[in-house]
Amino acid sequence: MTITDQDRAFMREAIRLANNSVRQGGGPFGAVIVKDGEIIAGSSNSVTLDNDPTAHAEVNTIRRACKRLGTFDLSGCTIYTSCEPCPMCLGAIYWAHISRIFYGNTRKDAREIDFADDFIYEELDKPLSQRSVPILPLLREEALETFRLWSEKEDKTEY
């Protein structure tokens, strides 16, 4: 895959958003989503500003892009993010069907400034019984009723 000057320009915009976020009291992360050579949405990390642990730059940007395009499917889009996505953001990127990811800093770089994304990657590799936060099955048979209802629903929107 070839990296172009346009890719570099989009990454610089993500970095600019990250720098502005730090100056305004947010976290040091920024992202933009591009479709057909145009920035559709951009945002930065606002976890502490919004008191929302999910308000990472990538998630904020995905929300804005979906709203602007009127869809939950961002196929054909590229995300440029100032840092390698954490597991939550990577999951959101996959759920949004974003086609390509470019990142600046690595998760190791983030760890060096006390953002422990690696911890979550490590937790995901462990069996459920060995994770630091207990994760226990409960009322599966009752919960399966919802999945049965979904399976039988004829007018559902698949995603």
Side-chain angles (χ1 to χ4, degrees):
M1 181 181 310
T2 304
I3 296 175
T4 67
D5 287 340
Q6 191 174 41
D7 291 320
R8 289 180 189 88
F10 293 138
M11 180 59 76
R12 286 186 179 105
E13 177 61 12
I15 294 167
R16 186 189 71 74
L17 290 168
N19 289 339
N20 285 348
S21 180
V22 171
R23 289 182 191 106
Q24 296 169 4
F29 306 97
V32 296
I33 293 177
V34 173
K35 183 169 184 152
D36 300 327
E38 176 190 350
I39 293 177
I40 301 302
S43 191
S44 58
N45 179 293
S46 60
V47 169
T48 57
L49 297 173
D50 295 340
N51 292 317
D52 179 351
T54 70
H56 290 201
E58 298 91 337
V59 172
N60 288 341
T61 304
I62 288 168
R63 289 174 179 156
R64 288 181 179 181
C66 289
K67 187 171 184 174
R68 177 167 178 200
L69 297 176
T71 182
F72 54 81
D73 186 343
L74 299 178
S75 297
C77 292
T78 300
I79 190 166
Y80 297 82
T81 179
S82 65
C83 187
E84 182 178 355
C86 75
M88 177 186 70
C89 293
L90 187 59
I93 289 166
Y94 275 89
W95 279 116
H97 304 288
I98 292 173
S99 300
R100 291 189 312 165
I101 305 165
F102 286 97
Y103 66 91
N105 296 312
T106 68
R107 65 186 197 221
K108 306 286 185 214
D109 298 328
R111 183 177 56 207
E112 289 180 16
I113 61 165
D114 297 324
F115 286 90
D117 298 354
D118 272 351
F119 167 74
I120 300 170
Y121 279 103
E122 292 165 6
E123 282 286 295
L124 292 173
D125 282 339
K126 294 178 183 177
L128 296 179
S129 63
Q130 294 178 13
R131 293 186 184 171
S132 62
V133 175
I135 181 167
L136 308 164
L138 181 64
L139 298 177
R140 179 174 177 254
E141 292 304 318
E142 291 180 35
L144 282 172
E145 174 63 15
T146 307
F147 281 9
R148 184 190 64 71
L149 290 170
W150 175 258
S151 294
E152 294 171 359
K153 185 172 176 61
E154 293 184 16
D155 62 343
K156 64 188 168 208
T157 302
E158 302 275 350
Y159 60 97

